[in-house]
Amino acid sequence: MVNVVITGGAGFLGARLARELLSAGSITADGQPAAPIGQLTLVDRAPLPPDLAAQPLVTGIEGDLLDLLLPGGQGLDATVAADVIFHLAAAVSGECEADFDLGLRANVQATEALLAVVRSAQTRPLLVFASSVAAFGDSPDHPLPDVVDDQTAPNPQTSYGAQKVICEQLVADYTRKDFLRGRAVRLMTVSVRPGRPNAAASGFMSGIIREPLAGQRAVCPVTPDAGVVLSSPANTIRGLLRAASADEAAWGGRSPVNLPALNITIGEMVEALEQVAGPETTALIDWKPDPAIQRMVSTWPGHLRADRAAGLGLAPDPDFRSIIDQHLAETR
C-alpha cells in the first residue's frame, strides 16, 4: 500500500490528479509495479471539493502549508508517512509580482519546510515538484533562443519564475544528498482551465477561450502574434504521473524535465476557437493590449522542444482545437 500526499490538493490540478489516482486505485512509482493506494492526503488552504471529501481513501488537511509543517502542525505526520509526494501548492505569478513576501513564503519557504520534514523523517519518498516554464526568460544579457530545449539555461524574469528555479535547485540538492528522490517538472501554461479566473499573469490564455464559450466577454491583453507554449489539463496530469512512474535510469538525472508544449500564437488560439464556435464567439474577445502583461509575456518562451519528455513517452497535444474540444466535453 502506498501513501500519497498532494500539496495544493484542492486546486484545479491537484484535485484533477487526485481523481485520476482514485480512479486507477493504484500508483506506479520509480519504475516499480503498480501498487494500491492506501491513503491519499490532500493539503490545501481551501476546503476539498465535495466529491473528494467523500472518498474513504482521502484525508483532507486544510491550512497554510508552512504553518502545517511546523512542529505540531497537522501536515507533519502525513508528510512523514508519505511514500510519494506531489508538491503542487504555490502562489501564482501575478500574486508573486504584486506581493513579493507572499511569493517567498508560499513558494520558497514552504518548499524548504517540506523538504526539511522529509529529510528528518529519513524515509526517502519520491517527490514530484511542479516547476514552471517561467524558469526561462529573455533579457539583453541572456537572450532567449528561438527554440527553448532541455539545455537552455534558466533566466527567470519574474519573482514567481525565480522562486521556482530556487526550489528546483533545492529539490536537486536534497536528491543529491539522498534525502529523497526528487523529480522536478516544468509545467507549460495550462489551457483551458475551467472555473473562475485566477491571479496568474497567464490566466488570459484560458479566459479568452473559457469566457466567450460561456457567452461572456473576455479581454486579451496581448497582440495576436504573441507566441506561447501550452498544455491541456489532461496532458499536464499525464506528465506529472509519468514523472512519478519513471525509474531513475529513464528519468536521467537531477535536472528538471520540460513537459511537452503545444507551440502556438494567441491569434492561432482564437482562430481555433472560431472554427469550433463561430465568429460570434470570438467577437466577444476585446483586444486591449496591456503594456505590463505584454512585456512579461514577451520574455516567456514562444517555442519549446521537450526531448527528455519525448524519451519518457510524453508528447504535446496535437492541436489547440483538440484542447477546446476537451474543455467542452468536460464542462458540459
Side-chain angles (χ1 to χ4, degrees):
M1 304 286 275
V2 179
N3 289 338
V4 180
V5 169
I6 304 175
T7 71
F12 166 58
L13 285 179
R16 187 177 183 117
L17 176 60
R19 294 184 184 106
E20 193 87 13
L21 291 170
L22 289 168
S23 177
S26 63
I27 184 169
T28 302
D30 206 8
Q32 300 301 307
I37 295 172
Q39 184 174 23
L40 180 58
T41 303
L42 307 181
V43 184
D44 207 296
R45 293 174 64 94
L48 296 185
D51 66 306
L52 291 176
Q55 292 286 337
L57 287 180
V58 170
T59 298
I61 299 178
E62 188 174 338
D64 178 89
L65 181 59
L66 184 56
D67 290 341
L68 291 169
L69 291 171
L70 295 174
Q74 192 181 358
L76 195 64
D77 291 343
T79 303
V80 167
D83 302 297
V84 178
I85 301 170
F86 292 92
H87 181 30
L88 311 184
V92 297
S93 54
E95 292 176 316
C96 296
E97 284 301 293
D99 189 337
F100 185 75
D101 292 323
L102 169 68
L104 281 180
R105 176 182 172 83
N107 295 342
V108 178
Q109 294 169 13
T111 299
E112 191 173 15
L114 176 65
L115 299 179
V117 168
V118 166
R119 176 189 175 189
S120 297
Q122 299 183 359
T123 54
R124 293 189 69 249
L126 190 148
L127 184 143
V128 177
F129 171 63
S131 187
S132 170
V133 71
F136 302 110
D138 183 67
S139 64
D141 59 314
H142 189 80
L144 198 66
D146 291 337
V147 179
V148 168
D149 62 20
D150 294 312
Q151 304 307 314
T152 304
N155 184 32
Q157 298 301 301
T158 61
S159 294
Y160 172 76
Q163 291 152 12
K164 287 294 187 180
V165 171
I166 290 168
C167 294
E168 289 177 358
Q169 296 303 311
L170 284 172
V171 170
D173 202 41
Y174 272 67
T175 300
R176 182 183 67 84
K177 297 293 287 184
D178 205 31
F179 300 141
L180 51 80
R181 293 162 290 155
R183 311 278 173 83
V185 288
R186 290 178 178 142
L187 275 57
M188 303 299 108
T189 296
V190 179
S191 178
V192 178
R193 286 176 175 264
R196 297 175 59 83
N198 65 12
S202 60
F204 73 91
M205 296 183 211
S206 289
I208 61 171
I209 307 298
R210 181 184 58 232
E211 271 70 81
L213 284 171
Q216 302 169 10
R217 302 205 71 84
V219 172
C220 184
V222 302
T223 54
D225 61 344
V228 294
V229 290
L230 302 178
S231 177
S232 68
N235 218 27
T236 302
I237 296 299
R238 194 172 296 119
L240 290 167
L241 289 171
R242 183 63 182 126
S245 69
D247 62 29
E248 287 193 23
W251 185 251
R254 298 191 300 271
S255 58
V257 166
N258 300 321
L259 291 188
L262 175 63
N263 303 297
I264 193 170
T265 67
I266 298 296
E268 290 168 339
M269 292 171 62
V270 174
E271 288 173 10
L273 176 61
E274 186 160 314
Q275 291 170 8
V276 171
E280 65 277 10
T281 299
T282 54
L284 293 171
I285 300 173
D286 299 317
W287 297 87
K288 297 181 179 178
D290 180 315
I293 295 179
Q294 181 96 30
R295 184 167 52 253
M296 188 182 300
V297 172
S298 71
T299 70
W300 297 346
H303 195 99
L304 184 140
R305 187 178 68 241
D307 294 334
R308 280 183 67 193
L312 292 166
L314 298 171
D317 295 280
D319 52 50
F320 194 67
R321 179 163 183 165
S322 69
I323 294 178
I324 296 175
D325 289 340
Q326 179 188 127
H327 171 73
L328 289 171
E330 292 179 354
T331 54
R332 281 173 177 160

